[in-house]
Amino acid sequence: MILRNHPGVLRAMLIWAMLAIAVLPAESQRRITPVTPAIPGATPESTTKIATEAPPDLSRVVSSIDADGRKVNIDTVTGIEYPDSLLLAPPPPMEYPLLYEGSAGVNVWDGAMRAFGQKYGLGDAWVELNMHNRYFPVFVAGVGNMADSPVNKNYTFRVPVAPYFKIGASYNFFYNSNPDYKLLAGLRYGFTAFKWSVTDVTVDEGYWNTPSHYSLDNISHTAGYIEVHFGIRVKIWGPISAGWSIIYHSLLHESSSAYGEPMYIPGFGTRKGAVTGNINLVYTIPLHKKPKLSESD
């Protein structure tokens, strides 16, 4: 009744109500609108500083997972973030120069084994380069032969003296230690071309009781094989060292023959086993002066 008698007051209240309805939604919308980046498609710039050098104190770096599931490493004092690669320990520096030593050696394994009844093998010599006292490329040249009449067999197998060659490298696990002591693992590829014969083959003609004889002479053959070496080498006096290796070897390829496979392959040995060895005497020539190492070396 009061408002009906005062139409001016009623009109003022309606105007204020309409202004409130128009203004309040706009204010609410401004409060919830997200910040738009200056460049379309860009994200707000992170305030975290990314390190480019290793942290001065690893004990201050703490790893955690952020909201995006990403691993972060933060220095708790400076707030700097460190990539994982900067937290890895750097590899030890090379203590020895690139071209440190040159060596020549002779393998006396086959000669020693012949003293115990082995029927094959002669020996080989090799040259080697010491790089950083860590990597040892090597080249081997040798000769081998065989003449054997197996027990209870009716033939003699022969391989005249034939050459073989090997090339490969070794790795020294003690590369930053005293070079007088080496723990080596290596890989070699060997190749040989030779001739083999089977002579004095006796065939017993049972009905007539008259044996016959024949031979297979000078059959050409080639073979390639791989060797895996593991051994030690120790200085014994001045430039002279001695070492031994255990070798696993396997044929990679060989030529075929209508008469079968040879019993022996120069530089490889017989087909009976996959494991053999060598014994080396080594003469070393220094190419650089030995660097000064820690007192323990």
Side-chain angles (χ1 to χ4, degrees), residues 74-216:
I74 298 293
D75 188 318
T76 55
V77 175
T78 64
I80 297 175
E81 180 179 332
Y82 289 91
D84 288 341
S85 59
L86 294 180
L87 302 182
L88 299 176
M94 297 288 189
E95 299 285 354
Y96 293 87
L98 175 61
L99 302 179
Y100 179 57
E101 294 175 332
S103 297
V106 59
N107 175 22
V108 298
W109 173 272
D110 283 336
M113 292 299 100
R114 285 216 166 195
F116 294 95
Q118 180 174 288
K119 302 295 184 180
Y120 59 86
L122 291 176
D124 56 51
W126 48 266
V127 290
E128 179 185 77
L129 187 62
N130 182 335
M131 303 174 66
H132 291 307
N133 196 43
R134 189 173 190 175
Y135 310 107
F136 294 78
V138 61
F139 175 76
V140 182
V143 291
N145 75 330
M146 183 177 189
D148 187 21
S149 300
V151 178
N152 299 325
K153 299 294 183 180
N154 60 343
Y155 62 86
T156 299
F157 179 85
R158 301 180 188 275
V159 172
V161 174
Y164 59 87
F165 305 94
K166 302 177 186 180
I167 189 170
S170 296
Y171 180 88
N172 178 24
F173 293 95
F174 295 161
Y175 59 91
N176 273 350
S177 299
N178 191 331
D180 296 343
Y181 307 93
K182 298 179 177 69
L183 178 64
L184 299 165
L187 197 65
R188 311 275 191 276
Y189 169 76
F191 179 82
T192 182
F194 62 101
K195 295 180 181 295
W196 59 277
S197 302
V198 177
T199 61
D200 303 324
V201 180
T202 302
V203 179
D204 186 9
E205 300 290 346
Y207 181 80
W208 298 104
N209 199 27
T210 302
S212 61
H213 305 277
Y214 71 92
S215 298
L216 301 173

